[in-house]
Amino acid sequence: MKKLTFSAMLLALWCGIISSAFSQPTQPPEITCFESRKGASEVVRRDLQPGWPNVKCSPKTGAVLWWGDPFDGTVPMGDMPTVENFPTGKAVVKPRSEKIALMPMCAVACHNGVGPKFNPPKLPTSKMPTPIPTMAAMVPDLQNLQHGGGRIWCLDCHHTNQRNKLVDNFGNPVSFDQPQLLCGKCHGDKMRDWRDGIHGKRIGEWASTGKKRWFTCTECHNPHNVQDGARNRGFPQIAPEVPPQLPWGMKDAKHELRHGVSH
């Protein structure tokens, strides 16, 4: 009986070894977090090299806490003719066009510059506002467009017959990856502050890396809901991270009340 039991245990152990040898390694779950605006600047965590991720994601808020390479996936910012001594190719942005879900359809499925020749009527080609139920269904924010206080509509920002492009004041197409060239049409003061580093976010500096990454307008602001709904503050509020751990032996942060100055 003992010999039979020992043989059964040996067989089970051998089967376990064989099973482990042929089993596939478990892949870690894919982690996606956002850089500036949830729903608009998502980035998938991956290893740039073993043990060195491209981003560190907050398990609390889902926001990016740290960049392993802040220039990963960036492209040159493009022409900025109002900036003197601007290091061409050293100022970079991260393209968003590949993340816009409707972009592949805009220029080929409905807006190829011709428009459908059936009823209901053709797509609008002038800048006069026209109800477009299909677009309102795909982009709910259009039903209550807050941008411009009712004085602008779709074709003030989107190119008339190249719908996968934005448009400047002269009617020239502008890439979705360079939204600052569009936003600066009306928001010149913010454009200047953004360019000079007073407004917005950037990473890097010229001295060590020779590069700077500018976060573009639409990475932080929703152009179809600039007032952020009822909040009316122009920027979606992000849940704060958990506070840092107190130094060893400190029970709470009330000691700062005695100093009068936080540290």
Side-chain angles (χ1 to χ4, degrees):
M1 184 64 181
K2 291 183 177 180
K3 184 177 181 180
L4 183 60
T5 303
F6 177 78
S7 299
M9 294 175 60
L10 186 62
L11 179 60
L13 178 62
W14 176 251
C15 291
I17 294 174
I18 294 298
S19 176
S20 299
F22 287 94
S23 62
Q24 296 294 326
T26 303
Q27 295 293 331
E30 185 177 88
I31 299 176
T32 300
C33 50
F34 66 94
E35 294 187 292
S36 296
R37 182 161 65 90
K38 195 171 187 179
S41 57
E42 267 67 20
V43 57
V44 178
R45 184 192 179 283
R46 61 185 180 84
D47 280 347
L48 298 171
Q49 54 182 288
W52 188 258
N54 59 336
V55 291
K56 179 180 180 181
C57 304
S58 166
K60 175 73 174 179
T61 64
V64 172
L65 296 176
W66 170 86
W67 284 263
D69 178 5
F71 309 115
D72 180 46
T74 57
V75 299
M77 178 187 291
D79 294 333
M80 291 285 286
T82 57
V83 180
E84 296 181 359
N85 301 320
F86 201 72
T88 304
K90 302 298 184 181
V92 297
V93 297
K94 181 169 283 190
R96 286 195 60 237
S97 55
E98 61 187 25
K99 299 178 180 178
I100 302 175
L102 296 177
M103 177 72 78
M105 297 187 294
C106 293
V108 296
C110 297
H111 306 291
N112 57 4
V114 178
K117 298 183 183 301
F118 54 83
N119 287 323
K122 298 178 182 178
L123 295 168
T125 56
S126 74
K127 295 180 65 174
M128 293 304 296
T130 305
I132 309 176
T134 306
M135 289 304 301
M138 291 190 290
V139 187
D141 291 336
L142 297 183
Q143 300 183 49
N144 182 26
L145 183 64
Q146 302 169 10
H147 202 154
R151 303 300 300 169
I152 65 172
W153 88 301
C154 311
L155 297 185
D156 286 298
C157 300
H158 295 267
H159 198 276
T160 304
N161 53 25
Q162 298 183 48
R163 302 299 167 81
N164 58 351
K165 299 285 186 180
L166 304 172
V167 64
D168 67 11
N169 272 329
F170 301 102
N172 299 314
V174 172
S175 168
F176 271 79
D177 298 334
Q178 309 289 338
Q180 68 276 5
L181 300 180
L182 164 68
C183 302
K185 290 165 56 176
C186 298
H187 305 286
D189 58 335
K190 293 297 185 294
M191 172 76 165
R192 179 195 60 211
D193 291 347
W194 173 82
R195 183 197 65 199
D196 295 341
I198 302 172
H199 182 100
K201 179 182 176 67
R202 65 192 56 193
I203 302 176
E205 36 77 30
W206 306 122
S208 60
T209 62
K211 281 187 176 182
K212 279 187 181 180
R213 174 187 168 189
W214 268 259
F215 283 69
T216 62
C217 316
T218 50
E219 286 183 88
C220 301
H221 300 279
N222 180 352
H224 295 145
N225 186 8
V226 291
Q227 297 176 6
D228 189 32
R231 185 166 176 264
N232 194 21
R233 297 293 299 273
F235 193 89
Q237 192 169 18
I238 301 176
E241 295 290 333
V242 294
Q245 185 176 2
L246 291 170
W248 177 261
M250 186 180 296
K251 296 181 179 179
D252 53 45
K254 292 182 179 178
H255 73 288
E256 294 188 350
L257 299 176
R258 295 194 296 270
H259 299 304
V261 178
S262 60
H263 60 81

PDB file of all heavy atoms in Angstrom, residues 203-216:
ATOM      1  N   ILE A 203       7.988  69.738 -20.093  1.00  0.00           N
ATOM      2  CA  ILE A 203       8.985  68.864 -19.467  1.00  0.00           C
ATOM      3  C   ILE A 203      10.305  69.059 -20.186  1.00  0.00           C
ATOM      4  O   ILE A 203      10.343  69.167 -21.409  1.00  0.00           O
ATOM      5  CB  ILE A 203       8.564  67.383 -19.561  1.00  0.00           C
ATOM      6  CG1 ILE A 203       7.205  67.147 -18.915  1.00  0.00           C
ATOM      7  CG2 ILE A 203       9.597  66.479 -18.905  1.00  0.00           C
ATOM      8  CD1 ILE A 203       6.705  65.721 -19.061  1.00  0.00           C
ATOM      9  N   GLY A 204      11.391  69.049 -19.421  1.00  0.00           N
ATOM     10  CA  GLY A 204      12.726  69.133 -20.004  1.00  0.00           C
ATOM     11  C   GLY A 204      13.277  70.550 -19.977  1.00  0.00           C
ATOM     12  O   GLY A 204      12.586  71.500 -19.612  1.00  0.00           O
ATOM     13  N   GLU A 205      14.502  70.686 -20.304  1.00  0.00           N
ATOM     14  CA  GLU A 205      15.150  71.993 -20.402  1.00  0.00           C
ATOM     15  C   GLU A 205      16.309  71.884 -21.388  1.00  0.00           C
ATOM     16  O   GLU A 205      16.812  70.807 -21.670  1.00  0.00           O
ATOM     17  CB  GLU A 205      15.607  72.486 -19.024  1.00  0.00           C
ATOM     18  CG  GLU A 205      16.109  71.408 -18.076  1.00  0.00           C
ATOM     19  CD  GLU A 205      17.494  70.951 -18.424  1.00  0.00           C
ATOM     20  OE1 GLU A 205      18.254  71.769 -18.953  1.00  0.00           O
ATOM     21  OE2 GLU A 205      17.813  69.778 -18.188  1.00  0.00           O
ATOM     22  N   TRP A 206      16.704  73.032 -21.919  1.00  0.00           N
ATOM     23  CA  TRP A 206      17.654  73.027 -23.023  1.00  0.00           C
ATOM     24  C   TRP A 206      19.038  72.536 -22.600  1.00  0.00           C
ATOM     25  O   TRP A 206      19.723  71.868 -23.377  1.00  0.00           O
ATOM     26  CB  TRP A 206      17.788  74.440 -23.604  1.00  0.00           C
ATOM     27  CG  TRP A 206      16.514  75.098 -24.026  1.00  0.00           C
ATOM     28  CD1 TRP A 206      16.026  76.284 -23.580  1.00  0.00           C
ATOM     29  CD2 TRP A 206      15.560  74.617 -24.986  1.00  0.00           C
ATOM     30  NE1 TRP A 206      14.829  76.569 -24.186  1.00  0.00           N
ATOM     31  CE2 TRP A 206      14.526  75.569 -25.056  1.00  0.00           C
ATOM     32  CE3 TRP A 206      15.480  73.473 -25.787  1.00  0.00           C
ATOM     33  CZ2 TRP A 206      13.421  75.425 -25.898  1.00  0.00           C
ATOM     34  CZ3 TRP A 206      14.381  73.332 -26.620  1.00  0.00           C
ATOM     35  CH2 TRP A 206      13.380  74.284 -26.671  1.00  0.00           C
ATOM     36  N   ALA A 207      19.481  72.856 -21.367  1.00  0.00           N
ATOM     37  CA  ALA A 207      20.872  72.654 -20.991  1.00  0.00           C
ATOM     38  C   ALA A 207      21.316  71.194 -21.050  1.00  0.00           C
ATOM     39  O   ALA A 207      22.345  70.863 -21.645  1.00  0.00           O
ATOM     40  CB  ALA A 207      21.113  73.221 -19.595  1.00  0.00           C
ATOM     41  N   SER A 208      20.537  70.282 -20.446  1.00  0.00           N
ATOM     42  CA  SER A 208      21.012  68.901 -20.338  1.00  0.00           C
ATOM     43  C   SER A 208      20.512  68.014 -21.473  1.00  0.00           C
ATOM     44  O   SER A 208      21.291  67.252 -22.061  1.00  0.00           O
ATOM     45  CB  SER A 208      20.578  68.306 -18.991  1.00  0.00           C
ATOM     46  OG  SER A 208      19.174  68.313 -18.883  1.00  0.00           O
ATOM     47  N   THR A 209      19.232  68.120 -21.779  1.00  0.00           N
ATOM     48  CA  THR A 209      18.663  67.234 -22.797  1.00  0.00           C
ATOM     49  C   THR A 209      18.604  67.890 -24.173  1.00  0.00           C
ATOM     50  O   THR A 209      18.510  67.205 -25.176  1.00  0.00           O
ATOM     51  CB  THR A 209      17.239  66.800 -22.399  1.00  0.00           C
ATOM     52  OG1 THR A 209      16.393  67.961 -22.326  1.00  0.00           O
ATOM     53  CG2 THR A 209      17.242  66.125 -21.033  1.00  0.00           C
ATOM     54  N   GLY A 210      18.627  69.223 -24.191  1.00  0.00           N
ATOM     55  CA  GLY A 210      18.507  69.922 -25.469  1.00  0.00           C
ATOM     56  C   GLY A 210      17.107  69.888 -26.028  1.00  0.00           C
ATOM     57  O   GLY A 210      16.896  70.261 -27.179  1.00  0.00           O
ATOM     58  N   LYS A 211      16.144  69.428 -25.234  1.00  0.00           N
ATOM     59  CA  LYS A 211      14.767  69.334 -25.703  1.00  0.00           C
ATOM     60  C   LYS A 211      13.805  69.839 -24.633  1.00  0.00           C
ATOM     61  O   LYS A 211      14.109  69.813 -23.443  1.00  0.00           O
ATOM     62  CB  LYS A 211      14.396  67.871 -26.027  1.00  0.00           C
ATOM     63  CG  LYS A 211      14.889  67.353 -27.346  1.00  0.00           C
ATOM     64  CD  LYS A 211      14.304  65.973 -27.598  1.00  0.00           C
ATOM     65  CE  LYS A 211      14.707  65.445 -28.962  1.00  0.00           C
ATOM     66  NZ  LYS A 211      14.091  64.115 -29.231  1.00  0.00           N
ATOM     67  N   LYS A 212      12.659  70.288 -25.112  1.00  0.00           N
ATOM     68  CA  LYS A 212      11.541  70.585 -24.225  1.00  0.00           C
ATOM     69  C   LYS A 212      10.285  70.037 -24.865  1.00  0.00           C
ATOM     70  O   LYS A 212      10.108  70.131 -26.078  1.00  0.00           O
ATOM     71  CB  LYS A 212      11.376  72.091 -24.006  1.00  0.00           C
ATOM     72  CG  LYS A 212      12.293  72.695 -22.973  1.00  0.00           C
ATOM     73  CD  LYS A 212      11.914  74.143 -22.721  1.00  0.00           C
ATOM     74  CE  LYS A 212      12.838  74.776 -21.695  1.00  0.00           C
ATOM     75  NZ  LYS A 212      12.481  76.191 -21.432  1.00  0.00           N
ATOM     76  N   ARG A 213       9.445  69.459 -24.011  1.00  0.00           N
ATOM     77  CA  ARG A 213       8.153  68.993 -24.501  1.00  0.00           C
ATOM     78  C   ARG A 213       7.070  69.944 -24.020  1.00  0.00           C
ATOM     79  O   ARG A 213       6.924  70.170 -22.817  1.00  0.00           O
ATOM     80  CB  ARG A 213       7.846  67.575 -24.010  1.00  0.00           C
ATOM     81  CG  ARG A 213       6.442  67.126 -24.399  1.00  0.00           C
ATOM     82  CD  ARG A 213       6.054  65.806 -23.778  1.00  0.00           C
ATOM     83  NE  ARG A 213       4.629  65.569 -23.959  1.00  0.00           N
ATOM     84  CZ  ARG A 213       3.948  64.587 -23.380  1.00  0.00           C
ATOM     85  NH1 ARG A 213       4.581  63.739 -22.593  1.00  0.00           N
ATOM     86  NH2 ARG A 213       2.664  64.453 -23.591  1.00  0.00           N
ATOM     87  N   TRP A 214       6.329  70.507 -24.959  1.00  0.00           N
ATOM     88  CA  TRP A 214       5.177  71.346 -24.649  1.00  0.00           C
ATOM     89  C   TRP A 214       3.930  70.483 -24.650  1.00  0.00           C
ATOM     90  O   TRP A 214       3.721  69.691 -25.578  1.00  0.00           O
ATOM     91  CB  TRP A 214       5.009  72.448 -25.690  1.00  0.00           C
ATOM     92  CG  TRP A 214       5.678  73.755 -25.387  1.00  0.00           C
ATOM     93  CD1 TRP A 214       5.072  74.877 -24.899  1.00  0.00           C
ATOM     94  CD2 TRP A 214       7.054  74.096 -25.568  1.00  0.00           C
ATOM     95  NE1 TRP A 214       5.994  75.883 -24.765  1.00  0.00           N
ATOM     96  CE2 TRP A 214       7.211  75.436 -25.159  1.00  0.00           C
ATOM     97  CE3 TRP A 214       8.174  73.383 -26.014  1.00  0.00           C
ATOM     98  CZ2 TRP A 214       8.427  76.083 -25.206  1.00  0.00           C
ATOM     99  CZ3 TRP A 214       9.393  74.018 -26.056  1.00  0.00           C
ATOM    100  CH2 TRP A 214       9.516  75.354 -25.646  1.00  0.00           C
ATOM    101  N   PHE A 215       3.093  70.607 -23.625  1.00  0.00           N
ATOM    102  CA  PHE A 215       1.777  69.986 -23.643  1.00  0.00           C
ATOM    103  C   PHE A 215       0.838  70.944 -24.366  1.00  0.00           C
ATOM    104  O   PHE A 215       0.686  72.090 -23.965  1.00  0.00           O
ATOM    105  CB  PHE A 215       1.273  69.723 -22.219  1.00  0.00           C
ATOM    106  CG  PHE A 215       1.912  68.535 -21.575  1.00  0.00           C
ATOM    107  CD1 PHE A 215       3.244  68.552 -21.218  1.00  0.00           C
ATOM    108  CD2 PHE A 215       1.184  67.385 -21.344  1.00  0.00           C
ATOM    109  CE1 PHE A 215       3.842  67.453 -20.633  1.00  0.00           C
ATOM    110  CE2 PHE A 215       1.771  66.268 -20.758  1.00  0.00           C
ATOM    111  CZ  PHE A 215       3.107  66.302 -20.401  1.00  0.00           C
ATOM    112  N   THR A 216       0.223  70.491 -25.453  1.00  0.00           N
ATOM    113  CA  THR A 216      -0.578  71.378 -26.280  1.00  0.00           C
ATOM    114  C   THR A 216      -1.937  71.642 -25.637  1.00  0.00           C
ATOM    115  O   THR A 216      -2.342  70.972 -24.673  1.00  0.00           O
ATOM    116  CB  THR A 216      -0.779  70.783 -27.676  1.00  0.00           C
ATOM    117  OG1 THR A 216      -1.499  69.541 -27.562  1.00  0.00           O
ATOM    118  CG2 THR A 216       0.565  70.534 -28.353  1.00  0.00           C
TER     119      THR A 216
END
